[in-house]
Amino acid sequence: MCSSDLLSGTPNGAGAPDTLMSSDDGVSIPDAADFVDDRTILARDARTPGVYRIDISAKPVRVDTLFTDAFFPTVSPDRKHFAWQNAATNQIFVSEYPPGAKRHQVGTGAVEPIWLSSTELLYRSSVTWYKVRIDPASGEPVDAPTAWARDNRFLDTPGWSNRPSRDGGIIYSQSLPQADTHYLRFI
C-alpha cells in the first residue's frame, strides 16, 4: 500500500513543509484542484467523483464534502461563484460559492470548466471549447454558449487537460500532426 501526504510549505523555506494530512492516518488524500484563498483548498478524489473543501488553517485540517458526484471544481476569480462538471451526466453547473442548493446548468456533453474571468466560463466538448457569459449577481448564464475555439489535435490528458493562461487564453497539449501516408499496392 502506498502512502501519500498533503503538505504545505515554501519551496525555498529553511524548514521542512508541514504535513496537513497523511494517508498513514487512514485518510484518503484528495488532489488539490483549486486554491480559494490562503486557507482554503478545493480538492477532488482521484478515484471517485468527490469534491472537498479543505480548511488548512484548522488543526487538524477540516475537510467538508461539497459534492459526491462532481469533477473539476473551480471558483470564479471574484470568489462569488463555483463551477463543476457533474460526473454522471457531463453537464457543467454554476452556483454561488460556497455552493448552495440553487444551481444553473450552463453546458451539456461538457467537461473541465475554466473561469476566464468572473463573468466568463469556458468548457470543452470533445475538441471544441465553448464560452458562456455568467451574470455576476445571480450566476445564471446571460446567453447561450458560443464556440470559442476548436483544435482537432487537442490532446486529452488525465486530470485537467487545459488551464487558463495569464493572457486570457488557455494552455493545453496538442498531439503530433498526422503525416500523409502514401501506399504502394502490390498485386
Side-chain angles (χ1 to χ4, degrees), residues 8 12 15 21 25-27 48 53-54 107 119-120 126-127 138 149 168-169 174 180:
S8 175
N12 297 328
M21 297 172 72
D25 300 332
V27 176
T48 61
R53 179 176 48 202
I54 302 173
T119 59
E120 295 177 309
S126 185
V127 297
S138 70
Q174 279 186 331
D180 290 338

Side-chain angles (χ1 to χ4, degrees), residues 1-8 18-30 54 60-61 63:
M1 179 157 177
C2 192
S3 171
S4 63
D5 298 319
L6 179 63
L7 305 173
S8 175
D18 294 330
T19 301
L20 303 175
M21 297 172 72
S22 175
S23 62
D24 291 339
D25 300 332
V27 176
S28 175
I29 306 297
I54 302 173
V61 298
V63 179

Side-chain angles (χ1 to χ4, degrees), residues 91-105:
Q91 295 172 314
I92 302 295
F93 291 96
V94 171
S95 73
E96 69 273 5
Y97 181 79
K102 190 174 184 178
R103 58 177 66 175
H104 307 285
Q105 181 182 332

